[in-house]
Amino acid sequence: MTKILPFRAVRPQRAKAGLVATKSFEDYTEAEIRSILQYNPYSFLHILNPGYKFQHEITGGQRFQMVKNRYLEFREENSFIKDEKPAYYLYKIVSRETTCCGIIAAASAEDYENNLIKKHEDTIARRETLFKDYLKVVGFNTEPVLLTYPDNSKINEVIDQVMQTRAEYEFATVNREIHYLWKIDQVDLLKQIQEEFEQMPHLYIADGHHRSASSYLLAQESRKANPNHTGKEPYNFFMSYLISESNLNIHEYSRLITDLNGNTKEEFLIQLDEYFRIENHGMEVYKPQQKHHFNMYLDGEFYSLYLRKTNYEFGDSLTKLDPYILYKKVLQPILGIEDLRNDKRISYIHGKNDLIELKTRIDKGEFAVGFGMLPLSIDEIKETADEGLTMPPKSTYIEPKLLNGLTIYEFETN
């Protein structure tokens, strides 16, 4: 039984929502950030980049405190308001390719601890602690964890009903997306949504493993520091975006390697031949059509690699994943890539970007070889999580990617 609660969000005033909302800091170029900070005084980037006010770069704990200061200034100027009653928030994104819709709510850190919220990726302890410390200082979170659940007809009925009403926010972005947000605070609808989630045995993290882990660390630390702990304090929960499995868009990551680990082209192909049937497609772009098929670009030519299943032993769910197969049979033994997360010889391109980018970067000499594969399915992700296993880094690129600043979850840690 999973616990998903409404909460009192801090939100932009309706007229300012489109100006406040931003993509993740990492999704902008430096020039874009400078332009936004210069010309848009309402952008949430002013909070995330607090040193701009003083034209000075600030890092570490001092930055955390100044993020909080900028946030409090937005509150004091009434750019943000806090809802009077707990609510769920229905958030819909319409792009040129897809439409997705989900519910923003507070998920339970205890459910995360008890594996009712399941994960499929490893996290780095240093990053967990850093973000936990950040949350503790600033006192709020604006990036929901992306959680997924099986399609549910009753939740869909509520969503359809709410979308018949006027949205609290409706605005377009420069990348031609339209964003909608509805507030759900009617008692009957709150009860219906909560009861439906309570009947679900598990939820799965689609994106946001470090955010989940950091929120759990904050809950643990705050619990120990509070002699009057009840379990109902805001620090026991973290903001999440709950989206049905059919609304997820799962893409793959291509792998690019800087060199052939001392092998000639011919030596490399011969080693690949032990585990793969290889076909040369020349300049014709090849994309895999089924599982355990890979594309490779090497020395100006595209290749298809078909796994020789008679020479590969499938075991648990992890061994069946294409990112794992590529790592165990190519990247590690032939190309000498041990640490997929930190080795500087490997880079990644998510599958939304065309194979032409992979080809271009290799043709420029930045890399020697590149590999692609089909995206993983939600069933593969769930099976891996159910078995308590973790996928190789950069196994999935999952959308939607939400904007920052539309709903803010405030913690009380003392």
Side-chain angles (χ1 to χ4, degrees), residues 379-390:
D379 288 337
E380 289 176 305
I381 293 173
K382 290 169 64 176
E383 287 170 9
T384 304
D386 287 342
E387 293 181 23
L389 303 171
T390 54

Side-chain angles (χ1 to χ4, degrees), residues 141-161:
N141 186 14
T142 185
E143 293 187 77
V145 173
L146 188 63
L147 299 179
T148 190
Y149 61 91
D151 285 61
N152 181 291
S153 60
K154 292 185 179 179
I155 292 178
N156 288 341
E157 289 173 7
V158 173
I159 289 174
D160 291 340
Q161 178 181 338

Side-chain angles (χ1 to χ4, degrees), residues 52-306:
Y52 176 78
K53 182 176 183 178
F54 304 102
Q55 298 298 305
H56 183 71
E57 184 175 348
I58 302 169
T59 60
Q62 186 181 39
R63 176 181 174 271
F64 297 170
Q65 184 59 50
M66 291 194 67
V67 166
K68 181 176 183 178
N69 293 346
R70 295 289 85 74
Y71 172 70
L72 292 176
E73 288 172 6
F74 270 60
R75 292 285 315 265
E76 292 160 1
E77 294 166 358
N78 292 322
S79 293
F80 289 143
I81 57 173
K82 187 166 186 175
D83 286 326
E84 295 182 359
K85 298 189 297 183
Y88 294 116
Y89 301 87
L90 181 61
Y91 184 19
K92 179 181 178 182
I93 305 172
V94 179
S95 70
R96 286 174 288 183
E97 300 89 10
T98 60
T99 296
C100 67
C101 191
I103 295 171
I104 297 175
S108 168
E110 185 179 14
D111 285 353
Y112 177 87
E113 179 181 16
N114 294 331
N115 205 34
L116 299 181
I117 296 175
K118 295 195 173 187
K119 43 197 172 291
H120 63 266
E121 287 184 8
D122 270 333
T123 52
I124 301 172
R126 174 180 52 81
R127 288 184 60 190
E128 291 178 15
T129 301
L130 180 66
F131 192 59
K132 181 266 294 180
D133 293 340
Y134 169 82
L135 293 175
K136 185 175 181 179
V137 172
V138 302
F140 67 87
N141 186 14
T142 185
E143 293 187 77
V145 173
L146 188 63
L147 299 179
T148 190
Y149 61 91
D151 285 61
N152 181 291
S153 60
K154 292 185 179 179
I155 292 178
N156 288 341
E157 289 173 7
V158 173
I159 289 174
D160 291 340
Q161 178 181 338
V162 172
M163 285 196 299
Q164 299 305 311
T165 64
R166 181 191 181 192
E168 187 77 11
Y169 302 145
E170 178 182 353
F171 60 90
T173 59
V174 294
N175 60 342
R176 302 190 180 186
E177 290 181 344
I178 303 177
H179 294 255
Y180 303 85
L181 186 97
W182 291 263
K183 181 172 65 172
I184 307 173
D185 59 4
Q186 301 93 320
V187 174
D188 59 329
L189 296 183
L190 293 178
K191 181 180 178 184
Q192 188 170 343
I193 292 171
Q194 187 169 341
E195 288 178 348
E196 287 304 311
F197 281 111
E198 284 178 348
Q199 295 178 37
M200 297 179 188
H202 300 103
L203 299 170
Y204 293 84
I205 300 175
D207 189 28
H209 285 79
H210 280 92
R211 277 169 277 155
S212 305
S214 300
S215 297
Y216 167 62
L217 289 180
L218 177 67
Q220 279 188 312
E221 187 173 297
S222 301
R223 183 191 313 161
K224 293 176 181 177
N226 183 3
N228 300 313
H229 172 81
T230 66
K232 297 180 179 180
E233 297 86 355
Y235 60 68
N236 293 289
F237 301 88
F238 55 93
M239 187 166 63
S240 300
Y241 184 56
L242 295 116
I243 187 169
S244 65
E245 293 172 4
S246 64
N247 268 250
L248 283 179
N249 292 308
I250 305 173
H251 304 278
E252 76 282 7
Y253 274 96
S254 296
R255 276 85 167 122
L256 297 94
I257 316 299
T258 58
D259 59 78
L260 297 183
N261 197 30
N263 295 293
T264 66
K265 173 184 173 181
E266 292 72 22
E267 290 170 339
F268 177 58
L269 291 172
I270 289 171
Q271 292 182 71
L272 283 178
D273 189 71
E274 180 178 358
Y275 286 100
F276 300 92
R277 179 167 59 87
I278 305 170
E279 292 184 8
N280 188 330
H281 295 264
M283 293 297 295
E284 179 185 354
V285 176
Y286 169 77
K287 296 192 74 171
Q289 301 301 311
Q290 57 183 292
K291 295 293 182 183
H292 313 323
H293 290 189
F294 303 84
N295 63 280
M296 180 176 72
Y297 186 68
L298 172 68
D299 194 25
E301 297 178 310
F302 285 95
Y303 294 80
S304 55
L305 307 179
Y306 306 119

Side-chain angles (χ1 to χ4, degrees), residues 35-50:
S35 177
I36 293 170
L37 292 174
Q38 183 175 358
Y39 296 110
N40 180 3
Y42 299 113
S43 173
F44 202 79
L45 288 179
H46 284 282
I47 296 174
L48 299 179
N49 189 23

